[in-house]
Amino acid sequence: MGHPYLSPMEKRHPNHPGEMGTDATLAERERAPDEINARARAVGLLHEAGVPFVVGGAYAYATYTGIYRDTKDLDLFPRKQDAIRALEVLEKDGWRTERPDEVWLYKAYKGDYFVDFIFSSGNGVATVDDEWFTNARKATIFGYECLIAPAEEMIWSKAFVTERERYDGADINHLILKAGREMDWDRILRRFDRYWEVLLSHLMMFRFAYPSERDVVPNYVMTELMSRTLQTVRDGSWDEKLCRGNLVSKVNYHVDIHHWGFGDGRAWDEQDRPEGGTRGARSELEDSAGSGR
């Protein structure tokens, strides 16, 4: 049976989420038993070795939203030092491991099947820290009681995924819709910090998608973000010609930085970002044109 949202002539992009629905079997229907067994073995080995992680990706998404989808891999979110330990554990079991990006991603392969160990967002902002664990939910995954990534941190991480071929905005909308009334919105504001405009952009899309559910997001959150926006309007443009677009898309702002004379926003951000955390949103406002930046 073809995908319900693709014409017979269209090929599914590797990042297309595949068939989705409320039937739990969708998560594994297209997967071979060996692939599911490989995922289960990885979880079991890490449990036995005492390597801490929270489960993210499609399994966590389904826990909060009740939406299931075919997923090509298992996403586990450890702290970076524990991701190194996880690779060592799986290597002893014969897995092939890779470290494709020291900023955010390691991988482990059992034949053709793989597990992703994600310890930050691709731009290095949404780093896995203790709060991912202290605020996690519990669920049974492959027969093991696992910690599930908090919805707040899932939104924080997904908000920066806005590539042409991969955009996690619908995931964010569904997480807010189904879990928003129980979320810690103060923590979300603190997490986004100097990147509050990214949060606001997603909240505006949520309001567009669900006009009857706008009260899911507390009024004080929208009031605070709109107040910050008005302040930036009063302050005007920054003096520095900078493109921060490459914090949300690795490739789509290449021309701006390499041909149009904009400064590299990600490089600026990494240099300006305090070690161990992000800078407050108020500081970002103070760095607008009104203060000479």
Side-chain angles (χ1 to χ4, degrees), residues 193-195 238 240 242 244 247 264-280 283-287 293:
D193 208 39
R194 68 189 289 175
Y195 314 99
W238 288 19
E240 183 175 356
L242 189 70
R244 292 187 291 175
L247 281 161
D264 185 331
R266 177 168 173 173
W268 169 86
D269 187 78
E270 290 172 350
Q271 183 178 11
D272 200 55
R273 192 186 307 157
E275 189 171 346
T278 53
R279 189 178 57 177
S283 299
E284 192 273 337
L285 292 176
E286 292 169 356
D287 281 342
R293 176 171 285 283

Side-chain angles (χ1 to χ4, degrees), residues 71-99:
T71 179
K72 66 183 184 302
D73 61 2
L74 173 64
D75 291 338
L76 303 182
F77 287 70
R79 303 172 189 86
K80 185 172 184 179
Q81 65 268 26
D82 294 318
I84 296 171
R85 290 178 56 202
L87 295 189
E88 293 171 350
V89 169
L90 296 186
E91 284 171 355
K92 292 178 181 178
D93 189 55
W95 294 60
R96 176 174 60 86
T97 63
E98 293 181 356
R99 301 186 182 190

Side-chain angles (χ1 to χ4, degrees), residues 21-265:
T22 56
D23 181 354
T25 65
L26 289 171
E28 299 175 354
R29 183 183 297 170
E30 301 298 323
R31 300 292 133 185
D34 285 349
E35 182 170 6
I36 302 304
N37 291 338
R39 295 176 187 177
R41 182 163 183 79
V43 170
L45 288 169
L46 297 175
H47 265 279
E48 291 172 10
V51 178
F53 62 86
V54 297
V55 177
Y59 290 96
Y61 182 66
T63 298
Y64 290 104
T65 67
I67 297 173
Y68 297 87
R69 61 189 178 206
D70 176 39
T71 179
K72 66 183 184 302
D73 61 2
L74 173 64
D75 291 338
L76 303 182
F77 287 70
R79 303 172 189 86
K80 185 172 184 179
Q81 65 268 26
D82 294 318
I84 296 171
R85 290 178 56 202
L87 295 189
E88 293 171 350
V89 169
L90 296 186
E91 284 171 355
K92 292 178 181 178
D93 189 55
W95 294 60
R96 176 174 60 86
T97 63
E98 293 181 356
R99 301 186 182 190
D101 195 322
E102 290 293 339
V103 171
W104 70 285
L105 177 66
Y106 294 160
K107 287 177 172 284
Y109 293 85
K110 191 72 167 178
D112 294 330
Y113 313 127
F114 63 98
V115 176
D116 282 346
F117 294 99
I118 301 169
F119 40 88
S120 184
S121 53
N123 58 13
V125 171
T127 301
V128 177
D129 58 18
D130 291 350
E131 289 191 76
W132 287 70
F133 293 83
T134 57
N135 295 293
R137 289 178 57 172
K138 292 182 179 180
T140 300
I141 306 293
F142 303 119
Y144 296 92
E145 185 179 81
C146 294
L147 295 178
I148 303 298
E152 293 89 343
E153 275 66 27
M154 290 180 69
I155 289 172
W156 182 36
S157 178
K158 285 177 173 293
F160 297 99
V161 182
T162 65
E163 296 289 356
R164 182 179 181 185
E165 76 283 356
R166 170 73 186 273
Y167 174 67
D168 280 0
D171 283 4
I172 291 172
N173 281 347
H174 287 132
L175 285 166
I176 294 173
L177 179 67
K178 292 298 184 179
R181 296 189 190 278
E182 291 76 45
M183 284 183 190
D184 183 343
W185 285 96
D186 287 337
R187 190 165 93 249
I188 292 176
L189 286 170
R190 175 169 54 81
R191 284 301 207 184
F192 276 90
D193 208 39
R194 68 189 289 175
Y195 314 99
W196 59 269
E197 288 157 309
V198 177
L199 172 61
L200 177 59
S201 72
H202 285 287
L203 295 184
M204 293 304 292
M205 186 59 72
F206 176 82
R207 292 170 65 84
F208 173 81
Y210 302 106
S212 64
E213 309 300 321
R214 289 174 177 171
D215 63 341
V216 171
V217 179
N219 286 341
Y220 80 87
V221 173
M222 296 304 301
T223 300
E224 169 64 20
L225 295 176
M226 295 306 293
S227 175
R228 296 180 190 180
T229 301
L230 289 173
Q231 183 61 49
T232 65
V233 172
R234 288 189 287 267
D235 288 343
S237 300
W238 288 19
D239 293 336
E240 183 175 356
K241 188 175 182 179
L242 189 70
C243 176
R244 292 187 291 175
N246 60 347
L247 281 161
V248 295
S249 172
K250 189 173 183 179
V251 299
N252 286 319
Y253 295 92
H254 181 88
V255 169
D256 309 67
I257 294 166
H258 295 279
H259 298 279
W260 290 349
F262 283 89
D264 185 331

